[in-house]
Amino acid sequence: MNSQIKLAIIAIAIVIPLASFAVTQPSFNSEISITENSKLQIITSATFLNEFSQNVGKEMIDVTLLVPMGADPHDWEPTIRDTERLQRADMLIINGIDYEHWINSIHTSSYQGIIIDTSDGILIDHTDDDDHGSLDPHIWLNPVYAQLQVKTIANALSISDPTNKNYYQSNAEIYIKELDLLDSKIRNDLSSCKTDFVTFHNAFSYFAKEYGLTQHTIISSNDSHGEVTPQTLENIISTAKKYDIKVIFAEESSSTKTSQVIADEIGGKVLVLSPLEITSNENYISKMTQNLENLKEALC
């Protein structure tokens, strides 16, 4: 092969990916062409969305978690390999509400699949967190909103693969019933308990509002990387004493040192309240049930 032919091949290889930048993003209602022996190729942006999707699609879809095991989604950025995986996917399922801070870089890449925002139709809370934006993305920690996210996923799969619509909808109904039982258990178990609790960062606003609780935070930001100052510690210690709070919650993805300092000051203890952001081998319902048990120890 002479050098001119080689150069021509290289030029074609470069031009084709660049040309895809000009392709318009397909709409939500786009129907993906499914052949008899293929499955929908789904990529999810978070561990809880991966689980929701698996419960709905089961063996009819191939679903992959984009953020790797143990990675903090607040810090994670897609690699070239991740972008290549996305280019092969039919659908990217996201939480939305600025949770996927990297999503704009995907929008400007050659990804041509459908992006499903599971926050659509959910009433979003605004916070006073100036450092990380005013929108609180932690909707999945409210099991009622998690049910809505599952419905959105089921509808997206049904539109993209209408042949299996009844299958997706039936699976969603079964899983939503499990989430509904979780919701009822939380509601019943906490109904006669105290209401004020201290979390590490501002993750449980939707949960607290749903179940009539009041969240106080060590770090006011919507992610767990906010600054802890002496004034912050003084304020939360004062709050804990005011409401006779004896449990300070930490997270499995963050150091417990700050929570322990506060707990020592008030003569209390540290327990974990998981925001379910770090991938683990436990499922959504079991993790939320663990959260409930620790909340009961703190409040009941």
Side-chain angles (χ1 to χ4, degrees):
M1 186 182 293
N2 63 41
S3 59
Q4 286 184 329
I5 294 175
K6 285 182 179 179
L7 288 172
I9 291 172
I10 292 169
I12 291 169
I14 293 171
V15 168
I16 288 174
L18 288 175
S20 62
F21 277 80
V23 176
T24 303
Q25 171 75 25
S27 70
F28 177 87
N29 292 318
S30 295
E31 182 178 322
I32 297 166
S33 177
I34 308 295
T35 61
E36 187 174 345
N37 296 319
S38 69
K39 299 179 181 181
L40 278 174
Q41 300 299 306
I42 310 296
I43 287 182
T44 59
S45 66
T47 178
F48 49 89
L49 295 176
N50 201 64
E51 183 180 342
F52 296 168
S53 301
Q54 287 176 330
N55 275 282
V56 174
K58 296 188 181 293
E59 75 279 359
M60 298 307 299
I61 65 172
D62 284 332
V63 58
T64 304
L65 177 62
L66 194 59
V67 182
M69 177 80 78
D72 186 333
H74 297 293
D75 298 330
W76 182 83
E77 295 285 349
T79 64
I80 294 174
R81 180 175 292 183
D82 294 322
T83 303
E84 290 172 350
R85 287 164 59 197
L86 274 166
Q87 289 171 357
R88 295 191 296 268
D90 299 309
M91 185 182 296
L92 170 62
I93 297 176
I94 65 172
N95 182 77
I97 327 173
D98 297 335
Y99 183 70
E100 294 81 5
H101 60 91
W102 43 264
I103 195 69
N104 288 335
S105 66
I106 299 300
H107 282 173
T108 57
S109 78
S110 56
Y111 176 67
Q112 298 179 50
I114 302 169
I115 297 177
I116 304 302
D117 185 337
T118 60
S119 70
D120 285 349
I122 291 177
L123 184 62
I124 307 306
D125 281 348
H126 291 254
T127 69
D128 296 323
D129 173 25
D130 295 329
D131 293 332
H132 297 85
S134 60
L135 298 177
D136 181 0
H138 298 86
I139 52 176
W140 66 90
L141 291 172
N142 178 347
V144 175
Y145 285 170
Q147 293 175 50
L148 297 178
Q149 290 182 288
V150 171
K151 287 180 182 178
T152 295
I153 292 169
N155 290 340
L157 295 180
S158 298
I159 290 169
S160 294
D161 180 17
T163 302
N164 294 303
K165 174 182 178 179
N166 291 340
Y167 181 74
Y168 298 137
Q169 295 294 334
S170 175
N171 289 341
E173 287 177 13
I174 292 168
Y175 187 54
I176 285 169
K177 285 179 182 177
E178 295 180 28
L179 295 175
D180 192 48
L181 288 174
L182 172 66
D183 166 52
S184 296
K185 179 173 176 57
I186 296 170
R187 207 173 296 278
N188 292 334
D189 287 5
L190 297 179
S191 61
S192 58
C193 302
K194 294 188 294 184
T195 59
D196 292 88
F197 65 106
V198 174
T199 61
F200 186 70
H201 85 283
N202 185 44
F204 288 86
S205 295
Y206 296 102
F207 180 95
K209 183 178 291 187
E210 186 67 46
Y211 301 110
L213 307 177
T214 302
Q215 172 190 235
H216 304 278
T217 61
I218 298 172
I219 294 173
S220 62
S221 66
N222 288 325
D223 72 45
S224 57
H225 300 315
E227 183 182 2
V228 180
T229 65
Q231 187 63 50
T232 300
L233 291 174
E234 185 179 332
N235 290 344
I236 205 68
I237 288 168
S238 175
T239 298
K241 290 178 177 178
K242 176 181 178 181
Y243 293 104
D244 194 28
I245 293 170
K246 295 300 182 184
V247 170
I248 304 299
F249 286 110
E251 298 172 7
E252 68 264 85
S253 59
S254 303
S255 171
T256 62
K257 289 180 180 178
T258 302
S259 298
Q260 192 63 59
V261 166
I262 298 167
D264 290 344
E265 186 66 25
I266 63 173
K269 63 189 293 188
V270 174
L271 293 175
V272 170
L273 199 61
S274 174
L276 280 70
E277 294 183 88
I278 304 299
T279 306
S280 74
N281 294 324
E282 297 174 273
N283 65 38
Y284 176 88
I285 290 176
S286 68
K287 291 287 284 185
M288 289 296 290
T289 302
Q290 286 177 22
N291 280 348
L292 172 60
E293 292 306 311
N294 285 344
L295 276 167
K296 284 165 65 176
E297 184 171 344
L299 299 176
C300 304

